[in-house]
Amino acid sequence: MQKNEKIYVAGHRGLVGSAILRRLRADGYENLVTRTSAELDLREQQAVRDFFAEQKPDYVILAAAKVGGILANDTYPAEFIYDNLMMEANVVDASHRHGVKKLLALGSTCIYPRMAPQPLKEEYLLSGPLESTNEWYAVAKITGIKLCQAYRRQYGSDFIAAMPTNLYGPGDNFDLEKSHVLPALIRKFHEARQKGEPTVTLWGTGKPLREFLHVDDLADAVLFLLREYSGEEIVNIGVGKDISIAELAAIVKEVVGFEGEIRYDPSKPDGTPRKLVDVTKINGLGWSAKIGLREGIESTYQWFLDQVDKQQIRGLS
Ligand code: GFB
């Protein structure tokens, strides 16, 4: 990718898109195109085709998606499947129609079967039933993978798909109903400490295991794959180790300085018991994660504190 080539970052305001945009700017890419969802609704086929005809980007990073934590996925299945399917189909097809050199589509590790062997290898895709709380999003993300593979096979399009593990970092959504676990923990412990509350209640049992990748590491991996990878097969992006929700909560509790008690609400879903990705392929290509979890949580909490003062945090009503 040359610094003057045109790169369209779809979803530039989200956790992933904003990190990728930050990194592209830091690396001196000067020809960047973005559109908010109000400016361009990626679910509208003609609007997407008109945008591509007008802009003709050389590279496309598809980070736009309807995302959320376990409760949001379980509560809004129709939106999660429809919105993500339409965005992916429109952007991939328009990228082909307008000669995009290379597209990278971002998926998620929830595409893997609920009880697949761990760590999750890329070849386990479609080898068993999905986790029920997020099968809608997972099917849409699997379709995104298949779109990239089909366009490569039929038209020779250099479209690749990457599967990041659970992500966190600056720019995350802190709405307690819709967010993922890590921002929810940061906010819950922070607000309990501020208000002097004696307990914080978390969802499920605290037993599930999750892997967490800082979004700046993800942005680094995305640029690495755009430069180094052009295969049909998907590539996992992760850190290669996981932690229980209870252990994660203990770290966030300590970082935030909350001294009360942690309780669990078993009426809320645990989701899949484990979701650790195998990172052999991407490590073999020459990339590995650099930001440790404790360090990443500390820097994210610092960002949260800076933003709280400016009231610029998504989901903080
Ligand atoms: O991050 P999370 O919402 O999504 O939940 P998943 C991870 C684990 O944290 C679950 C527990 O076992 C939750 O029960 N948890 C505990 C909490 N307290 C909380 C809380 O206050 N908020 C939240 N959100 N969780 C998502 C998929 O699954 O992973 C998405 O639904 C996407 O589609 C994403 O794939 C990466 O990791 O379970």
Side-chain angles (χ1 to χ4, degrees), residues 68-71 73 80 108-110 133-134 137-138 164-167 176-182 184-185 188 201-205 208 210 212 245 264 268-272 275:
I70 189 167
L71 206 57
N73 272 264
F80 271 86
S108 163
T109 52
C110 73
T133 54
N134 58 40
Y137 180 72
T165 190
N166 288 43
L167 301 167
L176 291 181
E177 286 307 303
K178 295 181 179 160
S179 76
H180 291 98
V181 61
L182 220 156
L185 297 184
K188 286 183 173 181
T201 301
L202 305 183
W203 297 351
T205 64
R210 290 292 185 274
F212 295 95
I245 297 305
Y264 286 91
K268 292 284 191 327
D270 264 341
T272 190
K275 227 182 343 176

mmCIF file of all heavy atoms in Angstrom, residues 68-71 73 80 108-110 133-134 137-138 164-167 176-182 184-185 188 201-205 208 210 212 245 264 268-272 275, ligand 1:
data_model
loop_
_atom_site.group_PDB
_atom_site.id
_atom_site.type_symbol
_atom_site.label_atom_id
_atom_site.label_comp_id
_atom_site.label_asym_id
_atom_site.label_seq_id
_atom_site.Cartn_x
_atom_site.Cartn_y
_atom_site.Cartn_z
ATOM 1 N N GLY A 68 -22.137 -5.950 19.297
ATOM 2 C CA GLY A 68 -22.584 -5.782 20.678
ATOM 3 C C GLY A 68 -22.180 -6.981 21.505
ATOM 4 O O GLY A 68 -21.666 -7.973 20.985
ATOM 5 N N GLY A 69 -22.436 -6.893 22.791
ATOM 6 C CA GLY A 69 -22.094 -7.992 23.679
ATOM 7 C C GLY A 69 -23.132 -9.098 23.615
ATOM 8 O O GLY A 69 -24.041 -9.077 22.782
ATOM 9 N N ILE A 70 -22.987 -10.012 24.546
ATOM 10 C CA ILE A 70 -23.810 -11.217 24.525
ATOM 11 C C ILE A 70 -25.299 -10.895 24.642
ATOM 12 O O ILE A 70 -26.133 -11.485 23.933
ATOM 13 C CB ILE A 70 -23.352 -12.174 25.660
ATOM 14 C CG1 ILE A 70 -24.038 -13.532 25.539
ATOM 15 C CG2 ILE A 70 -23.543 -11.559 27.046
ATOM 16 C CD1 ILE A 70 -23.397 -14.589 26.413
ATOM 17 N N LEU A 71 -25.666 -9.935 25.461
ATOM 18 C CA LEU A 71 -27.102 -9.635 25.667
ATOM 19 C C LEU A 71 -27.692 -8.967 24.430
ATOM 20 O O LEU A 71 -28.785 -9.302 23.976
ATOM 21 C CB LEU A 71 -27.273 -8.743 26.896
ATOM 22 C CG LEU A 71 -28.626 -8.824 27.606
ATOM 23 C CD1 LEU A 71 -28.933 -10.264 28.032
ATOM 24 C CD2 LEU A 71 -28.644 -7.911 28.833
ATOM 25 N N ASN A 73 -26.654 -9.288 21.324
ATOM 26 C CA ASN A 73 -26.781 -10.306 20.272
ATOM 27 C C ASN A 73 -28.003 -11.181 20.499
ATOM 28 O O ASN A 73 -28.706 -11.557 19.572
ATOM 29 C CB ASN A 73 -25.527 -11.194 20.283
ATOM 30 C CG ASN A 73 -24.426 -10.634 19.422
ATOM 31 O OD1 ASN A 73 -24.278 -11.033 18.271
ATOM 32 N ND2 ASN A 73 -23.656 -9.711 19.942
ATOM 33 N N PHE A 80 -29.002 -7.990 13.972
ATOM 34 C CA PHE A 80 -27.609 -8.457 13.870
ATOM 35 C C PHE A 80 -27.378 -9.227 12.582
ATOM 36 O O PHE A 80 -26.334 -9.115 11.949
ATOM 37 C CB PHE A 80 -27.238 -9.291 15.100
ATOM 38 C CG PHE A 80 -26.697 -8.445 16.218
ATOM 39 C CD1 PHE A 80 -27.547 -7.834 17.130
ATOM 40 C CD2 PHE A 80 -25.323 -8.215 16.341
ATOM 41 C CE1 PHE A 80 -27.054 -7.027 18.142
ATOM 42 C CE2 PHE A 80 -24.821 -7.403 17.352
ATOM 43 C CZ PHE A 80 -25.693 -6.811 18.256
ATOM 44 N N SER A 108 -15.250 -12.274 13.368
ATOM 45 C CA SER A 108 -15.184 -12.421 14.825
ATOM 46 C C SER A 108 -14.998 -13.898 15.149
ATOM 47 O O SER A 108 -15.375 -14.763 14.366
ATOM 48 C CB SER A 108 -16.496 -11.933 15.442
ATOM 49 O OG SER A 108 -16.593 -12.422 16.765
ATOM 50 N N THR A 109 -14.441 -14.188 16.308
ATOM 51 C CA THR A 109 -14.209 -15.601 16.660
ATOM 52 C C THR A 109 -15.493 -16.287 17.087
ATOM 53 O O THR A 109 -15.495 -17.487 17.357
ATOM 54 C CB THR A 109 -13.174 -15.694 17.790
ATOM 55 O OG1 THR A 109 -13.589 -14.841 18.853
ATOM 56 C CG2 THR A 109 -11.814 -15.283 17.286
ATOM 57 N N CYS A 110 -16.613 -15.545 17.117
ATOM 58 C CA CYS A 110 -17.883 -16.215 17.444
ATOM 59 C C CYS A 110 -18.384 -17.031 16.243
ATOM 60 O O CYS A 110 -19.388 -17.717 16.321
ATOM 61 C CB CYS A 110 -18.933 -15.203 17.866
ATOM 62 S SG CYS A 110 -19.552 -14.250 16.494
ATOM 63 N N THR A 133 -26.455 -17.720 21.560
ATOM 64 C CA THR A 133 -26.667 -16.301 21.868
ATOM 65 C C THR A 133 -26.183 -15.383 20.743
ATOM 66 O O THR A 133 -26.627 -14.243 20.649
ATOM 67 C CB THR A 133 -25.927 -15.882 23.166
ATOM 68 O OG1 THR A 133 -24.544 -16.261 23.029
ATOM 69 C CG2 THR A 133 -26.537 -16.553 24.389
ATOM 70 N N ASN A 134 -25.266 -15.881 19.899
ATOM 71 C CA ASN A 134 -24.808 -14.966 18.845
ATOM 72 C C ASN A 134 -24.732 -15.618 17.477
ATOM 73 O O ASN A 134 -23.975 -15.185 16.610
ATOM 74 C CB ASN A 134 -23.457 -14.342 19.204
ATOM 75 C CG ASN A 134 -22.374 -15.376 19.450
ATOM 76 O OD1 ASN A 134 -22.280 -16.367 18.754
ATOM 77 N ND2 ASN A 134 -21.556 -15.131 20.464
ATOM 78 N N TYR A 137 -25.306 -13.099 14.393
ATOM 79 C CA TYR A 137 -24.111 -12.332 14.022
ATOM 80 C C TYR A 137 -23.082 -13.264 13.386
ATOM 81 O O TYR A 137 -22.473 -12.927 12.366
ATOM 82 C CB TYR A 137 -23.535 -11.692 15.282
ATOM 83 C CG TYR A 137 -22.291 -10.864 15.109
ATOM 84 C CD1 TYR A 137 -22.339 -9.620 14.483
ATOM 85 C CD2 TYR A 137 -21.065 -11.303 15.601
ATOM 86 C CE1 TYR A 137 -21.189 -8.846 14.344
ATOM 87 C CE2 TYR A 137 -19.918 -10.533 15.458
ATOM 88 C CZ TYR A 137 -19.983 -9.309 14.849
ATOM 89 O OH TYR A 137 -18.840 -8.544 14.713
ATOM 90 N N ALA A 138 -22.950 -14.452 13.959
ATOM 91 C CA ALA A 138 -21.963 -15.410 13.456
ATOM 92 C C ALA A 138 -22.272 -15.805 12.009
ATOM 93 O O ALA A 138 -21.383 -15.822 11.150
ATOM 94 C CB ALA A 138 -21.933 -16.653 14.336
ATOM 95 N N PRO A 164 -10.720 -11.541 14.369
ATOM 96 C CA PRO A 164 -10.163 -11.117 15.660
ATOM 97 C C PRO A 164 -10.900 -11.741 16.842
ATOM 98 O O PRO A 164 -12.105 -12.001 16.741
ATOM 99 C CB PRO A 164 -10.348 -9.605 15.669
ATOM 100 C CG PRO A 164 -11.353 -9.293 14.633
ATOM 101 C CD PRO A 164 -11.473 -10.454 13.710
ATOM 102 N N THR A 165 -10.189 -11.958 17.916
ATOM 103 C CA THR A 165 -10.789 -12.426 19.167
ATOM 104 C C THR A 165 -11.468 -11.235 19.843
ATOM 105 O O THR A 165 -11.572 -10.163 19.244
ATOM 106 C CB THR A 165 -9.702 -13.030 20.075
ATOM 107 O OG1 THR A 165 -10.328 -13.694 21.179
ATOM 108 C CG2 THR A 165 -8.760 -11.952 20.596
ATOM 109 N N ASN A 166 -11.967 -11.401 21.095
ATOM 110 C CA ASN A 166 -12.644 -10.292 21.777
ATOM 111 C C ASN A 166 -11.708 -9.091 21.896
ATOM 112 O O ASN A 166 -10.556 -9.240 22.260
ATOM 113 C CB ASN A 166 -13.090 -10.735 23.179
ATOM 114 C CG ASN A 166 -14.264 -11.699 23.100
ATOM 115 O OD1 ASN A 166 -14.283 -12.613 22.271
ATOM 116 N ND2 ASN A 166 -15.260 -11.495 23.956
ATOM 117 N N LEU A 167 -12.233 -7.932 21.574
ATOM 118 C CA LEU A 167 -11.421 -6.720 21.516
ATOM 119 C C LEU A 167 -11.800 -5.730 22.612
ATOM 120 O O LEU A 167 -12.920 -5.764 23.123
ATOM 121 C CB LEU A 167 -11.603 -6.037 20.157
ATOM 122 C CG LEU A 167 -11.234 -6.895 18.954
ATOM 123 C CD1 LEU A 167 -11.732 -6.255 17.670
ATOM 124 C CD2 LEU A 167 -9.730 -7.109 18.894
ATOM 125 N N LEU A 176 -24.205 -0.201 29.200
ATOM 126 C CA LEU A 176 -24.159 -1.421 30.012
ATOM 127 C C LEU A 176 -25.015 -2.562 29.471
ATOM 128 O O LEU A 176 -24.800 -3.723 29.797
ATOM 129 C CB LEU A 176 -24.545 -1.103 31.465
ATOM 130 C CG LEU A 176 -23.507 -0.255 32.203
ATOM 131 C CD1 LEU A 176 -23.947 -0.014 33.637
ATOM 132 C CD2 LEU A 176 -22.134 -0.943 32.171
ATOM 133 N N GLU A 177 -26.015 -2.266 28.662
ATOM 134 C CA GLU A 177 -26.853 -3.336 28.106
ATOM 135 C C GLU A 177 -26.238 -3.890 26.821
ATOM 136 O O GLU A 177 -26.354 -5.055 26.514
ATOM 137 C CB GLU A 177 -28.253 -2.797 27.810
ATOM 138 C CG GLU A 177 -29.078 -2.567 29.081
ATOM 139 C CD GLU A 177 -29.139 -3.814 29.981
ATOM 140 O OE1 GLU A 177 -29.580 -4.882 29.499
ATOM 141 O OE2 GLU A 177 -28.700 -3.721 31.140
ATOM 142 N N LYS A 178 -25.595 -3.031 26.041
ATOM 143 C CA LYS A 178 -25.149 -3.453 24.695
ATOM 144 C C LYS A 178 -23.655 -3.742 24.595
ATOM 145 O O LYS A 178 -23.195 -4.310 23.602
ATOM 146 C CB LYS A 178 -25.507 -2.359 23.682
ATOM 147 C CG LYS A 178 -27.024 -2.167 23.541
ATOM 148 C CD LYS A 178 -27.371 -1.100 22.536
ATOM 149 C CE LYS A 178 -28.902 -0.977 22.420
ATOM 150 N NZ LYS A 178 -29.293 0.318 21.850
ATOM 151 N N SER A 179 -22.893 -3.374 25.615
ATOM 152 C CA SER A 179 -21.432 -3.452 25.443
ATOM 153 C C SER A 179 -20.899 -4.871 25.655
ATOM 154 O O SER A 179 -21.613 -5.775 26.095
ATOM 155 C CB SER A 179 -20.767 -2.536 26.475
ATOM 156 O OG SER A 179 -20.827 -3.169 27.737
ATOM 157 N N HIS A 180 -19.627 -5.045 25.368
ATOM 158 C CA HIS A 180 -18.914 -6.277 25.689
ATOM 159 C C HIS A 180 -18.461 -6.211 27.142
ATOM 160 O O HIS A 180 -18.584 -5.179 27.801
ATOM 161 C CB HIS A 180 -17.713 -6.455 24.747
ATOM 162 C CG HIS A 180 -18.122 -6.737 23.344
ATOM 163 N ND1 HIS A 180 -18.176 -5.762 22.372
ATOM 164 C CD2 HIS A 180 -18.556 -7.868 22.753
ATOM 165 C CE1 HIS A 180 -18.589 -6.299 21.235
ATOM 166 N NE2 HIS A 180 -18.826 -7.569 21.440
ATOM 167 N N VAL A 181 -17.888 -7.345 27.592
ATOM 168 C CA VAL A 181 -17.647 -7.456 29.037
ATOM 169 C C VAL A 181 -16.610 -6.464 29.572
ATOM 170 O O VAL A 181 -16.820 -5.863 30.632
ATOM 171 C CB VAL A 181 -17.241 -8.911 29.407
ATOM 172 C CG1 VAL A 181 -15.960 -9.344 28.725
ATOM 173 C CG2 VAL A 181 -17.140 -9.076 30.922
ATOM 174 N N LEU A 182 -15.508 -6.259 28.862
ATOM 175 C CA LEU A 182 -14.443 -5.452 29.469
ATOM 176 C C LEU A 182 -14.851 -3.995 29.701
ATOM 177 O O LEU A 182 -14.687 -3.480 30.830
ATOM 178 C CB LEU A 182 -13.147 -5.544 28.640
ATOM 179 C CG LEU A 182 -11.880 -5.638 29.503
ATOM 180 C CD1 LEU A 182 -10.738 -6.283 28.770
ATOM 181 C CD2 LEU A 182 -11.467 -4.282 29.992
ATOM 182 N N ALA A 184 -17.805 -2.977 30.118
ATOM 183 C CA ALA A 184 -18.846 -3.036 31.161
ATOM 184 C C ALA A 184 -18.196 -3.125 32.547
ATOM 185 O O ALA A 184 -18.630 -2.454 33.495
ATOM 186 C CB ALA A 184 -19.756 -4.239 30.915
ATOM 187 N N LEU A 185 -17.150 -3.925 32.664
ATOM 188 C CA LEU A 185 -16.469 -4.042 33.969
ATOM 189 C C LEU A 185 -15.837 -2.709 34.370
ATOM 190 O O LEU A 185 -15.956 -2.269 35.519
ATOM 191 C CB LEU A 185 -15.383 -5.126 33.911
ATOM 192 C CG LEU A 185 -15.832 -6.560 33.644
ATOM 193 C CD1 LEU A 185 -14.642 -7.520 33.730
ATOM 194 C CD2 LEU A 185 -16.899 -6.989 34.635
ATOM 195 N N LYS A 188 -18.694 -0.389 35.429
ATOM 196 C CA LYS A 188 -19.372 -0.815 36.661
ATOM 197 C C LYS A 188 -18.495 -0.578 37.884
ATOM 198 O O LYS A 188 -18.942 -0.017 38.892
ATOM 199 C CB LYS A 188 -19.760 -2.296 36.576
ATOM 200 C CG LYS A 188 -20.950 -2.562 35.652
ATOM 201 C CD LYS A 188 -21.345 -4.040 35.657
ATOM 202 C CE LYS A 188 -22.632 -4.258 34.865
ATOM 203 N NZ LYS A 188 -23.055 -5.682 34.874
ATOM 204 N N THR A 201 -22.416 -6.132 40.472
ATOM 205 C CA THR A 201 -22.988 -7.387 39.978
ATOM 206 C C THR A 201 -22.630 -7.607 38.520
ATOM 207 O O THR A 201 -22.839 -6.738 37.674
ATOM 208 C CB THR A 201 -24.527 -7.373 40.131
ATOM 209 O OG1 THR A 201 -24.845 -7.189 41.519
ATOM 210 C CG2 THR A 201 -25.127 -8.698 39.649
ATOM 211 N N LEU A 202 -22.036 -8.781 38.277
ATOM 212 C CA LEU A 202 -21.655 -9.156 36.907
ATOM 213 C C LEU A 202 -22.596 -10.233 36.404
ATOM 214 O O LEU A 202 -23.365 -10.821 37.172
ATOM 215 C CB LEU A 202 -20.204 -9.644 36.898
ATOM 216 C CG LEU A 202 -19.198 -8.645 37.504
ATOM 217 C CD1 LEU A 202 -17.787 -9.187 37.389
ATOM 218 C CD2 LEU A 202 -19.325 -7.279 36.852
ATOM 219 N N TRP A 203 -22.575 -10.493 35.108
ATOM 220 C CA TRP A 203 -23.484 -11.442 34.491
ATOM 221 C C TRP A 203 -22.937 -12.869 34.530
ATOM 222 O O TRP A 203 -21.712 -13.084 34.570
ATOM 223 C CB TRP A 203 -23.726 -11.071 33.021
ATOM 224 C CG TRP A 203 -24.376 -9.747 32.822
ATOM 225 C CD1 TRP A 203 -24.915 -8.929 33.787
ATOM 226 C CD2 TRP A 203 -24.548 -9.065 31.582
ATOM 227 N NE1 TRP A 203 -25.394 -7.783 33.214
ATOM 228 C CE2 TRP A 203 -25.201 -7.844 31.859
ATOM 229 C CE3 TRP A 203 -24.223 -9.372 30.247
ATOM 230 C CZ2 TRP A 203 -25.519 -6.931 30.859
ATOM 231 C CZ3 TRP A 203 -24.551 -8.471 29.249
ATOM 232 C CH2 TRP A 203 -25.190 -7.266 29.556
ATOM 233 N N GLY A 204 -23.852 -13.838 34.516
ATOM 234 C CA GLY A 204 -23.461 -15.234 34.401
ATOM 235 C C GLY A 204 -22.808 -15.730 35.678
ATOM 236 O O GLY A 204 -23.162 -15.350 36.793
ATOM 237 N N THR A 205 -21.816 -16.637 35.477
ATOM 238 C CA THR A 205 -21.161 -17.290 36.616
ATOM 239 C C THR A 205 -19.722 -16.824 36.821
ATOM 240 O O THR A 205 -19.109 -17.154 37.830
ATOM 241 C CB THR A 205 -21.107 -18.812 36.357
ATOM 242 O OG1 THR A 205 -20.257 -19.030 35.189
ATOM 243 C CG2 THR A 205 -22.481 -19.408 36.087
ATOM 244 N N PRO A 208 -16.810 -18.607 32.393
ATOM 245 C CA PRO A 208 -16.348 -18.702 30.997
ATOM 246 C C PRO A 208 -14.963 -18.094 30.822
ATOM 247 O O PRO A 208 -14.561 -17.199 31.582
ATOM 248 C CB PRO A 208 -17.391 -17.891 30.225
ATOM 249 C CG PRO A 208 -18.614 -17.947 31.066
ATOM 250 C CD PRO A 208 -18.113 -17.935 32.490
ATOM 251 N N ARG A 210 -12.279 -16.145 28.269
ATOM 252 C CA ARG A 210 -12.240 -15.283 27.098
ATOM 253 C C ARG A 210 -10.820 -14.789 26.862
ATOM 254 O O ARG A 210 -10.027 -14.693 27.782
ATOM 255 C CB ARG A 210 -13.161 -14.074 27.285
ATOM 256 C CG ARG A 210 -14.660 -14.395 27.276
ATOM 257 C CD ARG A 210 -15.146 -14.836 25.913
ATOM 258 N NE ARG A 210 -16.595 -15.022 25.898
ATOM 259 C CZ ARG A 210 -17.216 -16.149 26.250
ATOM 260 N NH1 ARG A 210 -16.488 -17.182 26.670
ATOM 261 N NH2 ARG A 210 -18.523 -16.242 26.184
ATOM 262 N N PHE A 212 -8.538 -11.625 25.183
ATOM 263 C CA PHE A 212 -8.721 -10.194 24.929
ATOM 264 C C PHE A 212 -7.523 -9.596 24.208
ATOM 265 O O PHE A 212 -6.385 -9.723 24.678
ATOM 266 C CB PHE A 212 -8.963 -9.450 26.252
ATOM 267 C CG PHE A 212 -10.247 -9.860 26.914
ATOM 268 C CD1 PHE A 212 -10.256 -10.843 27.895
ATOM 269 C CD2 PHE A 212 -11.458 -9.314 26.516
ATOM 270 C CE1 PHE A 212 -11.453 -11.259 28.483
ATOM 271 C CE2 PHE A 212 -12.656 -9.716 27.099
ATOM 272 C CZ PHE A 212 -12.656 -10.693 28.079
ATOM 273 N N ILE A 245 -13.682 -14.912 33.281
ATOM 274 C CA ILE A 245 -14.327 -13.621 33.549
ATOM 275 C C ILE A 245 -14.067 -13.199 34.992
ATOM 276 O O ILE A 245 -13.821 -12.024 35.278
ATOM 277 C CB ILE A 245 -15.831 -13.718 33.235
ATOM 278 C CG1 ILE A 245 -16.048 -14.010 31.741
ATOM 279 C CG2 ILE A 245 -16.570 -12.437 33.656
ATOM 280 C CD1 ILE A 245 -15.388 -13.041 30.783
ATOM 281 N N TYR A 264 -22.465 -12.250 41.180
ATOM 282 C CA TYR A 264 -22.831 -12.698 39.826
ATOM 283 C C TYR A 264 -24.335 -12.921 39.717
ATOM 284 O O TYR A 264 -24.959 -13.405 40.668
ATOM 285 C CB TYR A 264 -22.072 -13.983 39.473
ATOM 286 C CG TYR A 264 -20.621 -13.708 39.182
ATOM 287 C CD1 TYR A 264 -19.662 -13.762 40.191
ATOM 288 C CD2 TYR A 264 -20.227 -13.318 37.910
ATOM 289 C CE1 TYR A 264 -18.340 -13.457 39.930
ATOM 290 C CE2 TYR A 264 -18.896 -13.020 37.640
ATOM 291 C CZ TYR A 264 -17.966 -13.080 38.648
ATOM 292 O OH TYR A 264 -16.660 -12.764 38.391
ATOM 293 N N LYS A 268 -28.346 -14.113 33.849
ATOM 294 C CA LYS A 268 -27.799 -13.591 32.578
ATOM 295 C C LYS A 268 -26.930 -14.695 31.949
ATOM 296 O O LYS A 268 -26.300 -15.475 32.673
ATOM 297 C CB LYS A 268 -26.944 -12.346 32.843
ATOM 298 C CG LYS A 268 -27.714 -11.132 33.316
ATOM 299 C CD LYS A 268 -28.473 -10.457 32.198
ATOM 300 C CE LYS A 268 -29.042 -9.086 32.540
ATOM 301 N NZ LYS A 268 -29.480 -8.854 33.896
ATOM 302 N N PRO A 269 -26.862 -14.714 30.597
ATOM 303 C CA PRO A 269 -26.162 -15.823 29.920
ATOM 304 C C PRO A 269 -24.647 -15.787 30.055
ATOM 305 O O PRO A 269 -24.042 -14.718 30.076
ATOM 306 C CB PRO A 269 -26.560 -15.618 28.450
ATOM 307 C CG PRO A 269 -26.888 -14.169 28.328
ATOM 308 C CD PRO A 269 -27.420 -13.721 29.657
ATOM 309 N N ASP A 270 -24.064 -16.971 30.165
ATOM 310 C CA ASP A 270 -22.600 -17.106 30.152
ATOM 311 C C ASP A 270 -22.062 -17.088 28.739
ATOM 312 O O ASP A 270 -20.930 -16.720 28.476
ATOM 313 C CB ASP A 270 -22.202 -18.448 30.795
ATOM 314 C CG ASP A 270 -21.845 -18.313 32.274
ATOM 315 O OD1 ASP A 270 -21.553 -17.182 32.707
ATOM 316 O OD2 ASP A 270 -21.851 -19.339 32.968
ATOM 317 N N GLY A 271 -22.897 -17.571 27.797
ATOM 318 C CA GLY A 271 -22.442 -17.709 26.408
ATOM 319 C C GLY A 271 -21.533 -18.913 26.278
ATOM 320 O O GLY A 271 -21.558 -19.832 27.087
ATOM 321 N N THR A 272 -20.704 -18.901 25.251
ATOM 322 C CA THR A 272 -19.862 -20.058 24.986
ATOM 323 C C THR A 272 -18.829 -20.208 26.115
ATOM 324 O O THR A 272 -18.369 -19.196 26.661
ATOM 325 C CB THR A 272 -19.171 -19.909 23.603
ATOM 326 O OG1 THR A 272 -18.545 -21.129 23.267
ATOM 327 C CG2 THR A 272 -18.139 -18.792 23.620
ATOM 328 N N LYS A 275 -13.375 -19.396 24.111
ATOM 329 C CA LYS A 275 -13.264 -18.900 22.730
ATOM 330 C C LYS A 275 -11.823 -18.465 22.467
ATOM 331 O O LYS A 275 -11.548 -17.338 22.145
ATOM 332 C CB LYS A 275 -14.188 -17.679 22.602
ATOM 333 C CG LYS A 275 -15.050 -17.678 21.406
ATOM 334 C CD LYS A 275 -15.940 -16.484 21.207
ATOM 335 C CE LYS A 275 -16.271 -15.536 22.237
ATOM 336 N NZ LYS A 275 -17.102 -14.430 21.700
HETATM 337 O O1 GFB B 1 -18.154 -9.787 26.094
HETATM 338 P P1 GFB B 1 -19.459 -10.505 26.115
HETATM 339 O O2 GFB B 1 -20.707 -9.670 26.186
HETATM 340 O O3 GFB B 1 -19.580 -11.394 24.818
HETATM 341 O O4 GFB B 1 -19.508 -11.521 27.375
HETATM 342 P P2 GFB B 1 -19.089 -12.852 24.385
HETATM 343 C C1 GFB B 1 -18.377 -12.259 27.724
HETATM 344 C C2 GFB B 1 -18.651 -12.939 29.065
HETATM 345 O O5 GFB B 1 -18.647 -11.922 30.096
HETATM 346 C C3 GFB B 1 -20.029 -13.637 29.156
HETATM 347 C C4 GFB B 1 -19.760 -12.132 30.956
HETATM 348 O O6 GFB B 1 -19.861 -14.862 29.835
HETATM 349 C C5 GFB B 1 -20.827 -12.663 30.005
HETATM 350 O O7 GFB B 1 -21.853 -13.311 30.758
HETATM 351 N N1 GFB B 1 -20.142 -10.876 31.623
HETATM 352 C C6 GFB B 1 -20.118 -10.690 32.974
HETATM 353 C C7 GFB B 1 -20.578 -9.745 31.040
HETATM 354 N N2 GFB B 1 -20.577 -9.454 33.284
HETATM 355 C C8 GFB B 1 -20.864 -8.848 32.092
HETATM 356 C C9 GFB B 1 -21.368 -7.547 31.759
HETATM 357 O O8 GFB B 1 -21.660 -6.712 32.644
HETATM 358 N N3 GFB B 1 -21.512 -7.263 30.435
HETATM 359 C C10 GFB B 1 -21.216 -8.166 29.457
HETATM 360 N N4 GFB B 1 -21.387 -7.830 28.165
HETATM 361 N N5 GFB B 1 -20.738 -9.437 29.726
HETATM 362 C C11 GFB B 1 -19.582 -11.827 22.041
HETATM 363 C C12 GFB B 1 -20.549 -12.069 20.907
HETATM 364 O O9 GFB B 1 -19.691 -12.930 22.932
HETATM 365 O O10 GFB B 1 -18.232 -11.802 21.584
HETATM 366 C C13 GFB B 1 -20.364 -11.041 19.828
HETATM 367 O O11 GFB B 1 -21.884 -12.032 21.423
HETATM 368 C C14 GFB B 1 -18.909 -10.940 19.431
HETATM 369 O O12 GFB B 1 -21.121 -11.408 18.713
HETATM 370 C C15 GFB B 1 -18.030 -10.757 20.640
HETATM 371 O O13 GFB B 1 -18.537 -12.099 18.767
HETATM 372 C C16 GFB B 1 -16.578 -10.727 20.258
HETATM 373 O O14 GFB B 1 -17.611 -12.903 24.338
HETATM 374 O O15 GFB B 1 -19.790 -13.897 25.207
#
